[in-house]
Amino acid sequence: MVKDKWIISTPKFQVDEECPLYQSWPWNGHRLFAYDLVKFVKPRMLVELGTYWGTSFFTFCQAILDNELTTTCVAVDTWEGDDHTGNYQEDVFITVKERCKKFFPGLSINLLKMYFEEALPQFEENSIDILHIDGCHTYEAVSQDYHSWIPKLAEQGIVLFHDVAADTGYGSAQFWQEISADFPSFEFEHSWGIGILFPKGTKVYQQMSYNNMEDKLRYYTSASELLLAQLRVEDLSRIGEARQARIEELEQLLEKKEEDHRCSLDELEKFKRSKV
């Protein structure tokens, strides 16, 4: 199930071509790590609870595609919103579905438009190698998601929790602090935080530790912060270019008005002389 050597990748995320916003949404800070995690673990089954526009889901799919894995990748979401995201329309689900078909047509992808608990009967116990929990972020919701889905997690399986950084103020952060005290784990604090939990065996955890994962966590954090800084610089550059273009446009307009004014004065002067 797991290869011994962890290799840091520099992937190209295809969906960014169609929607550059994927590069700046909160989960973007974890894409490089998540891509390499899927490549390292080679999961047979990966399930995501809470997909929204698909930043994380398309990351998993990209890793599966690039590394020619046979992973079944499942997204479970009502695509209606919750207390944290607010309500949204059918176009979100339609967009995710269309991008799956466009960018990952050969993968085994299932989009289950339903509540998390409704999807439970569709999975066998001990069948999910990576479970990503990113639904409603209240303590009660995350606790329910974890405890109801943990029987479905395979031996040596991994659970990912988003929004675990203490400064989010979410109940998911509190739940993470409690559950991570009971099992081996790694944690990122940037991009709202992500927790990596190993509740059903330490084999993968030990192999990741053997690969100096603590150092790699710092690398992924720095790489994420650098990318975000580059995006901000690019945004500022675009804003600066737009402002400069507007200034030049206004200067040209002012010059034209001044020229029109001079012409009007010349015409007036000619008219006065013609009356003399």
Side-chain angles (χ1 to χ4, degrees):
M1 174 179 165
V2 177
K3 296 180 69 172
D4 292 336
K5 188 172 180 59
W6 183 285
I7 300 174
I8 293 176
S9 308
T10 54
K12 179 180 179 181
F13 297 102
Q14 297 179 78
V15 292
D16 293 355
E17 301 170 5
E18 188 164 296
C19 180
L21 287 174
Y22 282 112
Q23 299 177 75
S24 57
W25 284 337
W27 218 93
N28 172 67
H30 305 298
R31 292 202 297 179
L32 294 178
F33 168 77
Y35 180 98
D36 288 340
L37 177 67
V38 171
K39 181 174 66 173
F40 184 74
V41 174
K42 297 187 180 299
R44 296 157 298 180
M45 173 78 72
L46 186 154
V47 175
E48 174 171 88
L49 306 180
T51 296
Y52 200 18
W53 286 104
T55 307
S56 52
F57 190 70
F58 292 141
T59 299
F60 302 137
C61 291
Q62 192 70 60
I64 294 167
L65 176 66
D66 292 349
N67 294 281
E68 300 180 346
L69 306 181
T70 58
T71 309
T72 296
C73 202
V74 184
V76 185
D77 200 319
T78 62
W79 278 281
E80 295 175 353
D82 57 34
D83 292 341
H84 289 115
T85 63
N87 296 328
Y88 42 91
Q89 303 301 314
E90 182 73 7
D91 63 310
V92 179
F93 176 66
I94 293 173
T95 299
V96 171
K97 184 166 60 174
E98 289 176 346
R99 287 175 181 164
C100 284
K101 291 180 180 178
K102 179 176 180 178
F103 295 106
F104 310 105
L107 301 190
S108 176
I109 293 176
N110 294 326
L111 303 180
L112 303 181
K113 194 173 187 296
M114 58 184 67
Y115 291 103
F116 299 161
E117 59 270 24
E118 293 176 330
L120 279 167
Q122 301 197 32
F123 299 90
E124 297 180 0
E125 293 194 359
N126 305 309
S127 64
I128 300 172
D129 296 307
I130 296 179
L131 175 67
H132 176 221
I133 297 177
D134 193 16
C136 184
H137 305 322
T138 65
Y139 180 93
E140 294 75 17
V142 177
S143 178
Q144 179 180 347
D145 294 342
Y146 174 77
H147 289 295
S148 60
W149 280 85
I150 196 67
K152 308 297 182 179
L153 190 71
E155 294 300 319
Q156 306 300 331
I158 300 170
V159 184
L160 304 178
F161 297 84
H162 191 220
D163 297 286
V164 300
D167 60 4
T168 63
Y170 289 147
S172 51
Q174 179 187 347
F175 181 79
W176 169 251
Q177 290 303 313
E178 295 177 5
I179 199 68
S180 62
D182 296 333
F183 301 101
S185 64
F186 297 110
E187 179 181 351
F188 289 102
E189 295 183 358
H190 70 283
S191 296
W192 302 84
I194 193 167
I196 305 100
L197 193 74
F198 304 83
K200 283 193 170 183
T202 61
K203 180 180 178 181
V204 183
Y205 174 79
Q206 290 173 351
Q207 292 192 4
M208 290 173 69
S209 298
Y210 179 78
N211 277 272
N212 299 314
M213 189 50 56
E214 291 296 339
D215 289 339
K216 289 180 173 58
L217 295 183
R218 287 189 282 273
Y219 163 80
Y220 287 115
T221 299
S222 297
S224 170
E225 292 173 346
L226 176 60
L227 177 59
L228 183 58
Q230 290 173 336
L231 290 172
R232 286 173 176 169
V233 169
E234 291 173 2
D235 286 342
L236 289 173
S237 178
R238 282 192 291 269
I239 291 172
E241 291 173 357
R243 286 179 177 174
Q244 183 60 36
R246 181 57 177 162
I247 290 172
E248 292 175 358
E249 180 183 347
L250 291 173
E251 287 177 344
Q252 292 174 0
L253 182 61
L254 179 60
E255 289 177 1
K256 186 177 185 306
K257 286 185 176 182
E258 290 176 345
E259 179 63 26
D260 291 344
H261 181 63
R262 285 194 295 271
C263 291
S264 296
L265 291 176
D266 290 343
E267 291 295 325
L268 179 60
E269 187 62 28
K270 291 178 181 178
F271 177 78
K272 287 179 178 179
R273 286 199 297 268
S274 68
K275 294 296 183 180
V276 176

